Amino acid sequence: MFQRRKKKVPGLNTTSTADISFMLLIFFLVTSSMDTDKGLPRQLPPPEESQTEQELLVKERNVLALVLDADDRLTCNGDTLTPEALTDRVADFVENKADDAALPEKSERDVNLLGRCRVSDRHIITIQTDARTTYDAYFQMQNAIVAGYNRLRNQLARQRFGRPYARCTIEQREAIAMVFPQRISEMAPTGQTKEGGQP
C-alpha cells in the first residue's frame, strides 16, 4: 500500500555528440601545425654495375673528393683540412672565378632574372665516409660544405638584388641556385662498425 514508485533517471540526449566530436576534430586539424621532416639534398650512390660507367663521364677537374676517415680526419683531394678551411675550399672550387683549368668547367646559360650567365653546373662534390666516423664530424663537414655554397649565393644575391639570399623572393632564390647549384654525391660508407660487423 505504501510502496514507493521508483524514479526513472532520464536518459542523456547524445544526438549532438557526434557533431561536437566532428567539430572538435576539425578545430584541432586546422589549428595544429604539422612538422615535416627536412633532409639534405644528396645524390645516392649508384648501383655497382653503373658506378664505373658514371665515374668515366666526370672529368677529374670537376670533382672535389672529400674523405672522412675512421679517426674523423677530413681530407680534400688528398689534403688534410679543418671544417673551416673546407668552407673556403668549396667556395673557391665551385666559383672558379679565374677560370682555372684545374677547377670545374662552366656552362653559358640563360637564367631567369639574371640573363646570360656562366653557370657552375658541371662540378660535383663527392663524399666518402667510414662506418666508424662520428656524427659530429660528419655534420661539421656537411655544415662547412653548405656554408661554402651559401657564401657564393649571398654574394650573388647582394650584387644582383641588393639583399642576402635568405631575404630574396622564391623566384630570385631559384635563379641564384641555378648559377650555383648544390651538386653533392655521397658514397656508401667503408670499413667496419664499432661492433666489428659490416656497415
Side-chain angles (χ1 to χ4, degrees):
M1 183 176 175
F2 297 102
Q3 188 177 4
R4 291 184 180 179
R5 287 191 308 172
K6 293 181 180 179
K7 291 184 179 179
K8 291 184 178 179
V9 180
L12 292 174
N13 186 2
T14 59
T15 309
S16 61
T17 306
D19 294 335
I20 294 171
S21 302
F22 186 67
M23 284 190 292
L24 285 172
L25 178 63
I26 291 176
F27 173 77
F28 284 116
L29 284 174
V30 171
T31 58
S32 300
S33 61
M34 302 292 180
D35 293 332
T36 55
D37 294 333
K38 294 184 179 179
L40 298 170
R42 298 292 180 265
Q43 182 177 336
L44 295 176
E48 291 184 5
E49 298 81 21
S50 62
Q51 189 168 2
T52 308
E53 187 177 317
Q54 184 179 4
E55 287 173 354
L56 293 173
L57 298 175
V58 181
K59 293 183 181 178
E60 187 178 348
R61 65 176 286 189
N62 294 333
V63 179
L64 187 70
L66 303 179
V67 178
L68 195 58
D69 65 15
D71 298 321
D72 293 342
R73 186 172 61 249
L74 175 65
T75 57
C76 176
N77 287 352
D79 301 328
T80 303
L81 291 178
T82 62
E84 294 76 18
L86 178 60
T87 298
D88 298 332
R89 188 76 170 263
V90 168
D92 293 340
F93 175 78
V94 175
E95 184 179 24
N96 190 9
K97 196 171 186 178
D99 286 331
D100 192 334
L103 294 177
E105 302 167 294
K106 292 186 176 182
S107 304
E108 288 279 346
R109 289 199 178 177
D110 289 318
V111 180
N112 186 30
L113 302 179
L114 299 176
R116 194 76 174 167
C117 296
R118 289 178 59 77
V119 177
S120 181
D121 61 347
R122 297 190 185 182
H123 77 276
I124 186 164
I125 298 176
T126 63
I127 298 174
Q128 176 70 63
T129 59
D130 191 279
R132 293 160 291 182
T133 300
T134 63
Y135 284 109
D136 184 54
Y138 176 78
F139 284 112
Q140 282 185 21
M141 177 188 64
Q142 292 283 1
N143 287 337
I145 295 170
V146 173
Y149 280 107
N150 286 343
R151 180 187 298 176
L152 296 176
R153 291 178 176 183
N154 276 321
Q155 287 175 357
L156 184 59
R158 290 181 186 279
Q159 288 172 3
R160 301 302 295 268
F161 304 118
R163 66 186 76 174
Y165 179 74
R167 291 180 53 200
C168 290
T169 64
I170 295 175
E171 195 176 13
Q172 290 170 341
R173 287 200 298 268
E174 287 176 351
I176 292 169
M178 280 190 67
V179 178
F180 297 118
Q182 280 193 19
R183 292 175 51 83
I184 302 170
S185 176
E186 294 199 39
M187 301 178 188
T190 61
Q192 295 183 338
T193 59
K194 292 180 180 177
E195 289 76 15
Q198 291 298 326

